[in-house]
Amino acid sequence: MFKFFLRWIDSWSIPNRSKSNEIESSIAIKDTQIQWLRIIPFILLHIACLAVFWVGVSWFALIFMFAFYLIRMFAITGFFHRYLSHKTFQTSRPVQFFFLLIGTMSAQRGPLWWAAHHRYHHRFTDTEQDPHSSTHGFWYSHIGWFLNDQNFTTRKEVIKDWLKFPEIVWLDRFSLPVVLLTALSIYGLGEWLAAAYPSLGTSGLQLLVWGFVVSTVLLIHATLCINSLAHLYGSRDFETNDNSRNNLFLSIITLGEGWHNNHHYYAGSTRQGFFWWQIDITYYILKIMSYLGLVWAIKPVPQRIYDAHKSHQLNLKMNRNKIQTEES
Ligand SMILES: [Zn+2]
Ligand SMILES: [Zn+2]
């Protein structure tokens, strides 16, 4: 029993199933049973959304919900994804820690867990070894994959480059306590505001429910949509060996992650919206941060990628013309 609760507090208390150089065989161990006991915190988070009918609402709570969603989404896409998973830019150790801490507050497990599973996704996209292969259908690629045993541990063998930072390892191990502390702090803030600025009309519970619970559930599902919907709906501007799509709506709610077909074709650039009309808020913010000296060595999209796009579009056009000629 003690061991069970220890897993909630310290996610590294479970031994890593896979050893180095056994990447492919470790994934072959399939255990897709949902771990109902272990995911109790995740289920409670969803049920807690119903409290919106009970705690009332205020402009302050709604603005807080929106702002906390945005800053954490930026931390996820900018730092969990473009920095930790793909190393598409560089930054200082304090900035690195600050944004990985904000990202950890998103309740999407630890930064190393997140990046390691994402590296697997790129390595084996839409095959049996992909942790959330879209070939298993919407529900599995959206939510089923991370509720089962095989995807609970941090796959350290593909994230060795970051293990030298003890503060990142610490965030990864104790991600759930970080999330609980975040929730508690937001509750405390709400209580303080209720006493100090009653005109805001908020309270501890109201801010906890809107500012943390609802905001976090929206954030989790928006992020998960990239694994599910961005492999299902949208355009394919590049020829890739997977089902990745470019999707404007997903790009808006995830600050630029919806250009997923671009990203699967070329994951080495900081920018994911390769063209000026492909809105990529995370990239714009990182660009501003680079002017301020907070990040640097932002990797551009190489010219050959634009050339490949041009020739793919040309091929599509030629195929269309061919079909039209054959039909007439
Ligand atoms: Zn990626
Ligand atoms: Zn993908």
Side-chain angles (χ1 to χ4, degrees), residues 17 26-32 128-131 136 140 150:
R17 283 165 153 237
S26 73
I27 293 278
I29 309 164
K30 288 278 168 202
D31 192 350
T32 50
E128 255 323 285
Q129 286 128 311
D130 178 353
H136 294 306
Y140 188 82
Q150 70 182 5

Side-chain angles (χ1 to χ4, degrees), residues 80-82 85-86 114 118-119 121-122 226 257 260 263-264 267 272:
F80 274 30
H81 189 207
R82 302 180 201 204
S85 307
H86 295 297
W114 201 105
H118 189 68
R119 283 182 177 181
H121 172 59
H122 275 272
I226 300 304
E257 293 290 309
H260 205 53
H263 179 59
H264 270 287
Q272 295 191 2

Side-chain angles (χ1 to χ4, degrees), residues 124-139:
F124 301 111
T125 317
D126 291 335
T127 69
E128 255 323 285
Q129 286 128 311
D130 178 353
H132 41 77
S133 170
S134 68
T135 57
H136 294 306
F138 171 79
W139 284 109

Side-chain angles (χ1 to χ4, degrees), residues 46-235:
H46 284 76
I47 295 173
C49 287
L50 294 172
V52 293
F53 297 111
W54 176 46
V55 294
V57 67
S58 64
W59 278 111
F60 183 83
L62 289 181
I63 291 166
F64 189 94
M65 172 187 83
F66 190 58
F68 200 39
Y69 173 100
L70 288 179
I71 184 171
R72 287 182 297 169
M73 183 58 91
F74 171 71
I76 290 286
T77 85
F79 284 79
F80 274 30
H81 189 207
R82 302 180 201 204
Y83 179 69
L84 212 58
S85 307
H86 295 297
K87 292 185 155 175
T88 67
F89 62 89
Q90 289 170 28
T91 188
S92 65
R93 206 159 161 178
V95 172
Q96 167 187 290
F97 179 74
F98 177 75
F99 282 101
L100 294 182
L101 173 67
I102 302 282
T104 306
M105 292 175 185
S106 309
Q108 299 184 17
R109 303 217 176 115
L112 296 176
W113 177 91
W114 201 105
H117 277 83
H118 189 68
R119 283 182 177 181
Y120 263 99
H121 172 59
H122 275 272
R123 199 172 289 187
F124 301 111
T125 317
D126 291 335
T127 69
E128 255 323 285
Q129 286 128 311
D130 178 353
H132 41 77
S133 170
S134 68
T135 57
H136 294 306
F138 171 79
W139 284 109
Y140 188 82
S141 63
H142 187 75
I143 204 171
W145 70 276
F146 72 90
L147 305 178
N148 62 36
D149 205 33
Q150 70 182 5
N151 292 320
F152 256 113
T153 45
T154 298
R155 299 179 190 278
K156 300 184 192 84
E157 68 277 4
V158 287
I159 205 83
K160 281 181 188 152
D161 43 336
W162 293 110
L163 296 178
K164 61 176 182 250
F165 295 102
E167 69 274 25
I168 303 182
V169 170
W170 182 87
L171 278 179
D172 200 66
R173 289 180 65 165
F174 303 104
S175 61
L176 189 61
V178 167
V179 171
L180 292 177
L181 225 78
T182 306
L184 203 70
S185 309
I186 290 173
Y187 173 79
L189 175 70
E191 284 292 282
W192 176 72
L193 288 172
Y197 302 96
S199 59
L200 291 176
T202 193
S203 68
L205 274 180
Q206 188 194 79
L207 205 60
L208 177 71
V209 170
W210 288 102
F212 176 75
V213 176
V214 178
S215 177
T216 305
V217 168
L218 291 175
L219 180 68
I220 289 173
H221 287 285
T223 311
L224 293 176
C225 278
I226 300 304
N227 300 334
S228 56
L229 295 182
H231 279 253
L232 271 177
Y233 301 109
S235 60

